[in-house]
Amino acid sequence: METNQSQAPAISVQGLEKSYKDLHVLRGVDFDVEPGTIFALLGSNGAGKTTIVKILSTLLKPDAGAAAVNGFDVATAPGNVRESISLTGQFAAVDEILTGRENLVLVAKLRHMKDPGTIADALLGRFSLTEAGPRKVSEYSGGMRRRLDIAMSLIGNPQVIFLDEPTTGLDPQARLEVWQAVKELAGQGTTVLLTTQHLDEAEHLADRIAILHGGRIIVNGTLAELKALLPPAKVEYVEKQPSLEDVFFAIVGDGGAGLGAAASE
Ligand SMILES: Nc1ncnc2c1ncn2[C@@H]1O[C@H](COP(=O)(O)OP(=O)(O)O)[C@@H](O)[C@H]1O
Ligand SMILES: [Mg+2]
């Protein structure tokens, strides 16, 4: 079975456009994601993040442009793309009536994996859910559910995992737990594309951050590169480094598009 070439990006997006009737949501989106990295797609509510994730996971067809995942074109090889990925949406897809372990076993069986029980136990351990494993998911906290959801999405060892707003609606402690789980994923060589509205989430998790605004990626870089877009910090008594939030509003706010266009790839 063919997989991605050593230097090929895990995700490649070129000139992607999508409209819903008169609403031109994506107006030419370009970015690449290197294998084994965490890429954060940062944008406000309604920016088009989920639209991009749906196109990359073959749930939606673009109007123009091209996208490839794990070396497979979403338009011409959607089956191969689907075999390469997992998708975790904003709303956890776990079954409440089953226990955490039963959820994992069920998915492993659906994916025709050998030894579903062993797979389930390994994942419970990896996401600190061993003790919770025999309990019904209806008794889980939000963070535990989301961790279980991420664990379920790993069954079958997908090369690329899409996490669409993995922490939206979670309390701060649960967010931290999910962040740990996401870091764990990339540590094992999985490529992660996550979407978020939270600047601090992108700042903590991502190797690269792309800001989606006005239907385009207006900035794409490492946190250090994004911070460097702002003028050097003024030194008075205390040097204040710009936060990612400062960068975001400097670019997205009035008159920022030029700065973003000059700096994006
Ligand atoms: N199926 C759809 N039909 C019509 N409009 C849609 C549909 N899906 C999304 N939209 C609109 O497209 C825009 C982008 O949506 P979405 O990709 O979900 O943004 P995000 O995930 O960044 O919040 C929003 O204005 C949304 O209301
Ligand atoms: Mg969304």
Side-chain angles (χ1 to χ4, degrees), residues 13 28-31 39-42 52 209-221 260-261 264-265:
V13 174
V29 170
D30 303 282
F31 65 86
F39 185 86
L41 196 54
L42 181 64
I52 291 176
I209 299 161
I211 299 176
L212 178 66
H213 184 73
R216 291 190 177 84
I217 302 294
I218 57 168
V219 182
N220 178 349
S264 63
E265 303 183 19

Side-chain angles (χ1 to χ4, degrees), residues 73-238:
D73 191 289
V74 294
T76 59
N80 292 311
V81 171
R82 285 197 285 270
E83 281 172 12
S84 307
I85 64 165
S86 82
L87 169 61
T88 300
Q90 190 173 330
F91 304 101
V94 294
D95 188 321
E96 301 264 327
I97 297 161
L98 300 180
T99 68
R101 189 173 185 280
E102 286 167 344
N103 267 285
L104 291 165
V105 168
L106 179 67
V107 173
K109 283 185 179 165
L110 288 173
R111 304 231 168 124
H112 307 292
M113 308 293 292
K114 282 187 196 134
D115 219 347
T118 307
I119 291 170
D121 290 332
L123 284 167
L124 289 170
R126 202 165 139 192
F127 290 94
S128 310
L129 291 167
T130 301
E131 270 180 47
R135 300 213 313 261
K136 282 193 173 136
V137 170
S138 55
E139 298 167 20
Y140 282 22
S141 69
M144 289 162 72
R145 277 168 211 231
R146 209 62 63 85
R147 264 149 55 210
L148 179 64
D149 201 31
I150 294 173
M152 280 161 66
S153 72
L154 285 182
I155 294 171
N157 297 315
Q159 284 96 335
V160 178
I161 162 164
F162 298 111
L163 302 173
D164 194 10
E165 301 203 23
T167 65
T168 296
L170 296 184
D171 63 52
Q173 175 58 32
R175 286 181 75 208
L176 286 178
E177 291 171 8
V178 170
W179 287 1
Q180 258 329 107
V182 175
K183 282 183 181 163
E184 173 87 3
L185 292 183
Q188 310 259 331
T190 312
T191 306
V192 179
L193 184 150
L194 70 92
T195 74
T196 183
Q197 301 184 41
H198 301 294
L199 310 167
D200 59 333
E201 182 153 297
E203 188 160 3
H204 278 101
L205 284 181
D207 297 302
R208 289 185 79 82
I209 299 161
I211 299 176
L212 178 66
H213 184 73
R216 291 190 177 84
I217 302 294
I218 57 168
V219 182
N220 178 349
T222 63
L223 180 61
E225 286 166 357
L226 264 60
K227 286 187 171 180
L229 293 176
L230 283 192
K234 280 184 189 149
V235 179
E236 289 174 356
Y237 292 103
V238 181

